[in-house]
Amino acid sequence: MLSIKDLKVDIEDKAILQGISLDIKPGEVHAIMGPNGSGKSTLANVLSGREEYEVTGGDVSFLGEDLLELEVDERAQAGIFMAFQYPVEIPGVTTATFLKSAVNAVREARGLEELKPVEMLRLIRQKADMLGIDHKFLQRSLNEGFSGGEKKRNEMLQMALLEPKLAILDETDSGLDIDALKIVSDAVNQLRQADRSFIVVTHYQRLLNYIVPDYVHVLYNGRIVKSGDKNLALELEEKGYDWIKEEVAAGIPSL
Amino acid sequence: MSDSMQTLEAHTRSDYKYGFTSDIDTETLPKGLNEDIVRAISAKKGEPEFLLEWRLKAFKYWQELVEPTWPNVDYPPIDYQDIIYYAAPKKKPKYESLDEVDPELLDTFNKLGIPLDEQKVLAGVAVDAVIDSVSVKTTFKEKLSELGIIFCSFSEAVKDHPELIKKYLGTVVPIQDNFFAALNSAVFSDGSFVYIPKGVRCPMELSTYFRINAANTGQFERTLIVAEEGSYVSYLEGCTAPMRDENQLHAAVVEIIALDDAEVKYSTVQNWYPGDKDGKGGIYNFVTKRGLCAGKNSKISWTQVETGSAITWKYPSCVLKGDNSVGEFYSVAVTNNKQQADTGTKMIHLGKNTRSTIVSKGISAGYSHNSYRGLVKIGKKAENAHNFSVCDSLLMGDKCGAHTFPYLEVDNNTAKVEHEATTSKIGEDQLFYCMQRGLSEEDAINMIVNGYCKEVFNELPMEFAVEAQKLLAITLEGSVG
């Protein structure tokens, strides 16, 4: 599904990612963990096509295509979805209007017909019900005045509607209380399926109690310094990141 | 400059869609302005003596005035002797059905996407179409006259209802008001007149399409709307103009009078030729629009969507004289390329418990400059007056400018005046977010801008709101073939 080879990325001439390689197969959930400033969010943003990042080396192929050659909207249409850490507000545009436009844009790019308004409404309501989202929410301006939990739930609703092949969750758990965290995790778990993969970027292990990953990678100083299964996350929870930093400093090769 | 900035600029550099001229015979007076021209205009229109006197007084006064220079706009000096002050389509008289109308004129309307016949049937809108200076076709007049509503060209009103013209003309915008109002008063050629009798609620939107057509013809429209006690009317004004190389001066005057418990809603969609990418050509739109809430509980509401003109200079205002009267101003002003706009409103609170609302949304793109200038004045006797103002500016790209000049004069300490102002760039974060959901850059910009303008669009009648959205898309994006 996604193959990253020796990816190097700069921001304003500063090297942030210094050679990342990662293979993700259909249906897998990969957690990317690491201390602040390790490059986790950079990886998420580069994959979704944000501009201010400069790729200085490496390849990324997604479903056989050179991902780095695609524009942001083309990546989305091809099936990459990013759940934002800080979803933006768009005043004056209702959530329903936004969802409708996004779904139809993606459908058009995928060679499907636009949904009729009635069908669209039915679809949006059905997904909203699935995620326990109040329909009133749909008539409010996109993310404007939403609580942190509501914004993240809105991200999940968009994910459910756009049916991505690869969903990237960029610190979706940040700023959420335990109830909101459960709601978001439930949404992800409902959307897990054999042909859909996830990259879960997180600083904390607690999210991974709910979204159980197949693999856990530790990013430090722009490199993946350790990979393992869900137990690695538990180990990090218990011991913190310092032992990994020490291992890196001592030159112990990663697993 | 980032890639998305470049794309933004490419999107905002589109050609004027309505740039064409129609070839209708016109009868014109020679260039220049003097007393004889003023007399000739009045004579051509067969005006009564009082109106000629009024024009001459205005002309005399205008000669003593100097063109103002305070607005935040820049243009070469206007040679007022190099302008033709009167042009009328030759085809007369009036027609009973559309079949009799000059087919080229109908074609012009078709190109604009506003065919008269379609509007008659579908929209139920009575249209007083002003091509250049003389009104050519008025529809729905009979239906309106059953209710006692007068909706006609200004010239007709002068002939048929001179007493109303005499009573109200110049009572809101006197000839001494300003340089351009004085000029207009001296040479106005035509315009629209609306009279809604006591207690009548006008059952349809009244609309006028203005169109500057003959080369080098200054347009000096005069509109007068009188709403008697307890009446209501919604009036729409919309316009596009053909592409021209030379600047065309437009100095219109609109006067509105609302008596006790009357309400007037005045909506404008303005799309005159803004000049080319270098700012060459384009209309100078120097307009005086003012409403007088003369009676208690009266209400006047201005809604404008300004996308055109090389220079826009106008401040639709409300004088809130009647107790409990309400003034509103909702505006979207878009400037692109080298366009300049200095626009806003004046809310003059004179009566008790008067309220006003100002919502101004400026959008600047290209190399344009967009200024909001607004005055809120609370008079000594205006107990418990309340004003709420929001002035937002949106910048597209990094070569344009937005400016805000709010003026406040409060002479009564019971007044409550609130002002909010924001300036934002069309966010790269917003664009990225929308595009990450699969929207094209163009659709994303469109959506964000429409959302930004929504408060104002909500005030427009439905069909006008749709037109305004289209205009905005055309003005800001490369959707023109």
Side-chain angles (χ1 to χ4, degrees):
Chain A
M1 160 119 11
L2 181 78
S3 170
I4 305 174
K5 288 201 182 83
D6 200 25
L7 181 65
K8 292 176 181 163
V9 174
D10 285 7
I11 301 177
E12 292 170 352
D13 296 331
K14 194 179 166 220
I16 305 295
L17 298 184
Q18 310 188 35
I20 298 248
S21 296
L22 191 60
D23 264 303
I24 297 179
K25 295 189 178 62
E28 291 179 352
V29 175
H30 289 243
I32 308 281
M33 300 185 70
N36 287 329
S38 57
K40 303 189 299 286
S41 280
T42 298
L43 179 63
N45 279 299
V46 167
L47 292 177
S48 51
R50 204 173 182 104
E51 268 186 8
E52 54 262 41
Y53 300 87
E54 193 193 344
V55 176
T56 56
D59 301 301
V60 181
S61 101
F62 175 65
L63 298 170
E65 273 192 279
D66 182 352
L67 186 70
L68 301 177
E69 284 300 307
L70 300 179
E71 295 294 331
V72 181
D73 50 340
E74 293 168 338
R75 295 183 197 200
Q77 291 155 4
I80 287 192
F81 179 91
M82 178 155 109
F84 285 70
Q85 185 178 1
Y86 303 110
V88 300
E89 301 183 355
I90 305 185
V93 176
T94 63
T95 302
T97 301
F98 182 77
L99 295 174
K100 198 176 76 182
S101 308
V103 168
N104 276 335
V106 165
R107 286 182 67 89
E108 195 192 329
R110 292 175 189 169
L112 300 169
E113 274 184 30
E114 280 197 356
L115 284 182
K116 294 193 187 82
V118 179
E119 297 167 341
M120 180 68 77
L121 193 64
R122 196 179 297 138
L123 178 70
I124 292 174
R125 285 189 171 160
Q126 179 216 327
K127 300 286 185 190
D129 289 344
M130 183 181 106
L131 300 173
I133 290 172
D134 190 336
H135 293 179
K136 280 181 204 148
F137 190 86
L138 300 170
Q139 292 313 318
R140 288 167 61 185
S141 283
L142 187 73
N143 291 328
E144 198 180 32
F146 284 22
S147 70
E150 286 173 332
K151 283 183 182 174
K152 298 295 165 68
R153 242 193 285 184
N154 194 3
E155 296 292 287
M156 295 302 109
L157 176 58
Q158 293 177 42
M159 181 163 78
L161 282 164
L162 295 175
E163 304 184 327
K165 292 273 186 281
L166 171 68
I168 304 162
L169 277 56
D170 184 16
E171 307 214 17
T172 295
D173 52 332
S174 69
L176 293 190
D177 61 25
I178 198 74
D179 292 331
L181 195 68
K182 275 185 188 159
I183 287 163
V184 168
S185 316
D186 282 350
V188 172
N189 289 329
Q190 286 191 66
L191 294 169
R192 277 178 87 156
Q193 58 187 62
D195 61 350
R196 181 173 296 146
S197 313
F198 289 84
I199 295 176
V200 180
V201 174
T202 181
H203 187 74
Y204 299 105
Q205 188 272 338
R206 59 171 193 166
L207 177 66
L208 305 179
N209 287 332
Y210 302 100
I211 304 172
V212 181
D214 299 305
Y215 300 94
V216 174
H217 309 279
V218 179
L219 206 56
Y220 177 59
N221 281 345
R223 290 191 177 87
I224 291 176
V225 294
K226 211 168 187 61
S227 296
D229 61 12
K230 62 182 181 187
N231 292 317
L232 176 57
L234 293 169
E235 201 177 346
L236 287 168
E237 174 77 356
E238 200 182 314
K239 294 155 66 177
Y241 286 108
D242 287 348
W243 64 282
I244 289 191
K245 293 178 187 173
E246 283 159 19
E247 274 189 13
V248 171
I252 298 169
S254 63
L255 298 174
Chain B
M1 190 165 58
S2 70
D3 284 355
S4 79
M5 259 335 162
Q6 281 170 354
T7 320
L8 261 179
E9 290 196 351
H11 278 171
T12 55
R13 241 185 276 131
S14 61
D15 289 325
Y16 185 66
K17 193 183 171 192
Y18 299 131
F20 53 86
T21 62
S22 53
D23 189 17
I24 296 170
D25 285 341
T26 57
E27 185 190 347
T28 55
L29 286 176
K31 271 184 187 176
L33 185 53
N34 53 48
E35 206 179 294
D36 290 342
I37 292 283
V38 176
R39 285 180 188 280
I41 292 170
S42 190
K44 267 192 180 297
K45 305 184 77 62
E47 287 175 353
E49 190 62 22
F50 82 87
L51 200 49
L52 173 63
E53 305 254 308
W54 193 77
R55 284 177 182 275
L56 289 172
K57 208 168 126 195
F59 175 67
K60 204 175 158 205
Y61 187 74
W62 177 76
Q63 283 178 302
E64 295 165 11
L65 292 175
V66 180
E67 194 176 330
T69 54
W70 51 263
N72 188 27
V73 296
D74 188 31
Y75 57 93
I78 298 169
D79 182 354
Y80 291 92
Q81 297 306 332
D82 196 37
I83 292 172
I84 297 167
Y85 286 86
Y86 183 81
K90 263 183 187 163
K91 300 270 182 181
K92 285 186 211 172
K94 307 265 169 177
Y95 314 100
E96 292 305 316
S97 86
L98 286 173
D99 306 340
E100 298 170 44
V101 175
D102 187 339
E104 189 156 345
L105 174 58
L106 293 180
D107 192 45
T108 300
F109 281 112
N110 283 325
K111 278 191 213 162
L112 290 170
I114 44 160
L116 276 177
D117 48 357
E118 198 175 282
Q119 282 183 0
K120 274 171 77 175
V121 179
L122 293 177
V125 174
V127 174
D128 179 24
V130 177
I131 280 263
D132 279 359
S133 312
V134 172
S135 94
V136 178
K137 182 80 192 170
T138 304
T139 51
F140 279 103
K141 215 163 156 182
E142 278 175 37
K143 200 171 168 186
L144 293 171
S145 68
E146 282 168 22
L147 293 163
I149 294 171
I150 303 166
F151 175 39
C152 61
S153 73
F154 201 91
S155 312
E156 282 175 289
V158 169
K159 284 200 182 70
D160 300 342
H161 311 280
E163 72 294 345
L164 287 173
I165 299 294
K166 201 171 177 180
K167 184 172 176 189
Y168 290 109
L169 181 66
T171 56
V172 185
V173 180
I175 52 175
Q176 307 91 328
D177 192 79
N178 67 69
F179 182 84
F180 292 106
L183 179 64
N184 174 287
S185 303
V187 301
F188 73 88
S189 37
D190 212 335
S192 298
F193 177 72
V194 176
Y195 177 84
I196 314 291
K198 193 171 168 180
V200 171
R201 195 179 165 86
C202 184
M204 60 185 81
E205 318 269 358
L206 300 182
S207 74
T208 310
Y209 284 90
F210 290 95
R211 187 171 170 77
I212 296 178
N213 211 302
N216 293 324
T217 306
Q219 278 258 306
F220 302 94
E221 302 290 343
R222 190 92 198 183
T223 301
L224 179 58
I225 299 172
V226 180
E228 288 275 10
E229 269 174 52
S231 66
Y232 168 85
V233 65
S234 167
Y235 187 88
L236 319 181
E237 173 205 352
C239 41
T240 56
M243 194 174 275
R244 287 291 174 193
D245 261 342
E246 282 167 67
N247 291 306
Q248 293 178 297
L249 176 64
H250 185 101
V253 172
V254 177
E255 295 179 282
I256 300 175
I257 294 132
L259 299 174
D260 286 358
D261 304 302
E263 180 178 350
V264 179
K265 207 171 150 55
Y266 192 104
S267 312
T268 307
V269 171
Q270 189 265 114
N271 182 30
W272 281 328
Y273 179 51
D276 65 14
K277 290 179 191 69
D278 301 317
K280 195 181 175 206
I283 307 295
Y284 292 178
N285 188 25
F286 301 157
V287 180
T288 307
K289 287 183 170 176
R290 195 173 305 152
L292 173 63
C293 283
K296 63 177 167 56
N297 308 319
S298 56
K299 179 176 174 183
I300 292 176
S301 177
W302 300 98
T303 305
Q304 61 173 20
V305 177
E306 303 277 325
T307 64
S309 297
I311 302 175
T312 300
W313 181 14
K314 62 184 271 194
Y315 313 93
S317 303
C318 297
V319 179
L320 305 172
K321 190 175 162 197
D323 290 348
N324 311 315
S325 60
V326 176
E328 292 176 338
F329 174 75
Y330 297 94
S331 169
V332 168
V334 186
T335 53
N336 195 355
N337 297 316
K338 296 272 175 74
Q339 277 178 280
Q340 306 171 67
D342 193 311
T343 183
T345 184
K346 288 189 274 187
M347 292 292 173
I348 315 290
H349 292 253
L350 300 176
K352 294 188 184 82
N353 305 314
T354 46
R355 283 175 292 140
S356 63
T357 303
I358 298 170
V359 177
S360 164
K361 302 275 182 178
I363 301 171
S364 323
Y367 292 83
S368 67
H369 279 270
N370 203 325
S371 302
Y372 168 80
R373 190 184 302 275
L375 168 69
V376 176
K377 186 180 164 73
I378 314 283
K380 270 193 194 118
K381 293 176 184 164
E383 296 286 322
N384 300 315
H386 186 187
N387 163 265
F388 177 70
S389 305
V390 189
C391 305
D392 295 333
S393 305
L394 186 68
L395 301 170
M396 300 178 75
D398 50 11
K399 296 186 180 64
C400 50
H403 318 270
T404 306
F405 304 100
Y407 302 88
L408 192 58
E409 292 171 24
V410 180
D411 295 326
N412 183 310
N413 58 17
T414 61
K416 197 173 158 201
V417 179
E418 299 165 77
H419 182 90
E420 290 174 10
T422 66
T423 298
S424 52
K425 276 201 163 182
I426 190 158
E428 295 203 14
D429 283 346
Q430 287 178 328
L431 270 184
F432 177 65
Y433 188 86
C434 292
M435 289 177 71
Q436 211 299 310
R437 298 302 183 247
L439 294 172
S440 69
E441 189 154 28
E442 196 164 298
D443 288 345
I445 291 172
N446 219 352
M447 179 181 279
I448 294 165
V449 169
N450 273 321
Y452 170 78
C453 299
K454 195 178 186 181
E455 268 177 282
V456 176
F457 287 170
N458 281 349
E459 295 298 320
L460 289 171
M462 183 71 117
E463 66 271 27
F464 236 33
V466 172
E467 194 174 326
Q469 284 197 11
K470 276 191 208 158
L471 258 183
L472 219 64
I474 291 166
T475 310
L476 292 173
E477 298 180 345
S479 58
V480 184

